[in-house]
Amino acid sequence: MAKAFFVTGTDTEVGKTLVTTALMRAAKEVGKKVVGYKPVASGCELVGGELRNSDANAMQREASIPLPYSMVNPYAFAPAIAPHIAARLANESIQTGHISQGLARLKETAADWILVEGAGGWRLPLDEQHFLSDWVKREHLPVILVVGAKLGCINHALLTIEAIRRDGLSLAGWVLNRVDPDMMHFQENADTLKHLISAPFLGELPWLSEEEIDYPESFLDIAALL
């Protein structure tokens, strides 16, 4: 049975896909067959008559097993807005049962690992009453947190971890991603996070320009996840 992890972030645009694909590459380096799953995505473009998301595309490319796009990203919406609003505009509803069916299908493949990437932060609404975190809780997925290193990240990280643990889930590990190259006192903030977060530190990603980004698995140590 494949082992699944849920990758969340302290906010949107903190590098969840960068970290997810880096984890996928690192898993392959140690001989694991790995696939990615992006249950819900907005900001998609129409390609060949199908809405596709760039993050899901990257995860599809990194997979050890060729998968049709629909298996990687079952809910895709065009507007780059909160998915529950995008779904409402499209006259659709996001059904957690359908998301679970998709995860079950991936578990039936030959994959050893499934990296499930969330959208936005931990409390992403699916509708007016349900959150994606409710689904993660129901599936009992261990969580990997991506901390975007910028002003306010300590508070955002600790509050997210508090919510994850209050939901009864384990924090399998966390990654620090330097999203602001000009962050003042970066190292002091990093040291504080390492001191306060009682979970495996999987690594730190340096600031990378658009030209430099190549999903650098060499910065991550996944030993705690094996």
Side-chain angles (χ1 to χ4, degrees), residues 104-160:
R105 288 178 66 195
L106 291 175
K107 288 181 177 180
E108 292 173 354
T109 68
D112 300 305
W113 277 21
I114 302 169
L115 272 295
V116 184
E117 184 188 323
W122 181 244
R123 290 286 186 240
L124 178 86
L126 298 180
D127 54 33
E128 300 303 327
Q129 295 180 307
H130 303 96
F131 298 94
L132 185 56
S133 55
D134 296 330
W135 175 80
V136 181
K137 182 178 179 179
R138 192 174 76 190
E139 295 290 339
H140 304 291
L141 300 180
V143 180
I144 297 170
L145 176 64
V146 180
V147 179
K150 57 183 178 180
L151 185 63
C153 65
I154 295 174
N155 178 62
H156 292 162
L158 297 181
L159 287 176
T160 301

Side-chain angles (χ1 to χ4, degrees), residues 9-223:
T10 47
D11 201 348
T12 190
E13 300 298 329
V14 295
K16 291 189 300 297
T17 304
L18 176 66
V19 170
T20 299
T21 49
L23 288 168
M24 292 175 73
R25 283 195 178 185
K28 289 186 290 185
E29 286 293 318
V30 295
K32 299 291 184 182
K33 292 182 179 179
V34 61
V35 296
Y37 189 40
K38 180 82 173 178
V40 182
S42 56
C44 302
E45 295 184 357
L46 197 62
V47 178
E50 181 180 43
L51 283 172
R52 288 176 170 253
N53 175 264
S54 60
D55 296 344
N57 284 336
M59 295 164 69
Q60 183 186 29
R61 288 193 300 269
E62 285 298 332
S64 305
I65 302 165
L67 296 172
Y69 182 83
S70 60
M71 283 187 68
V72 179
N73 175 213
Y75 284 106
F77 304 103
I81 56 178
H84 73 292
I85 300 174
R88 187 189 310 146
L89 293 175
N91 293 316
E92 292 187 42
S93 62
I94 301 170
Q95 301 292 327
T96 55
H98 184 57
I99 295 174
S100 291
Q101 289 171 7
L103 180 61
R105 288 178 66 195
L106 291 175
K107 288 181 177 180
E108 292 173 354
T109 68
D112 300 305
W113 277 21
I114 302 169
L115 272 295
V116 184
E117 184 188 323
W122 181 244
R123 290 286 186 240
L124 178 86
L126 298 180
D127 54 33
E128 300 303 327
Q129 295 180 307
H130 303 96
F131 298 94
L132 185 56
S133 55
D134 296 330
W135 175 80
V136 181
K137 182 178 179 179
R138 192 174 76 190
E139 295 290 339
H140 304 291
L141 300 180
V143 180
I144 297 170
L145 176 64
V146 180
V147 179
K150 57 183 178 180
L151 185 63
C153 65
I154 295 174
N155 178 62
H156 292 162
L158 297 181
L159 287 176
T160 301
I161 293 168
E162 181 180 319
I164 291 167
R165 288 176 170 159
R166 187 170 293 176
D167 282 340
L169 296 169
S170 65
L171 184 64
W174 65 285
V175 176
L176 185 62
N177 183 25
R178 191 164 187 176
V179 296
D180 178 5
D182 301 316
M183 181 183 183
M184 297 179 63
H185 302 287
F186 166 78
Q187 192 56 54
E188 290 92 332
N189 279 269
D191 291 343
T192 300
L193 285 164
K194 292 174 186 177
H195 174 72
L196 293 175
I197 297 176
S198 57
F201 177 58
L202 305 180
E204 174 188 315
L205 270 62
W207 162 254
L208 299 170
S209 68
E210 289 294 329
E211 294 76 21
E212 294 172 318
I213 288 178
D214 189 26
Y215 308 117
E217 73 282 359
S218 60
F219 292 97
L220 300 182
D221 180 4
I222 63 168

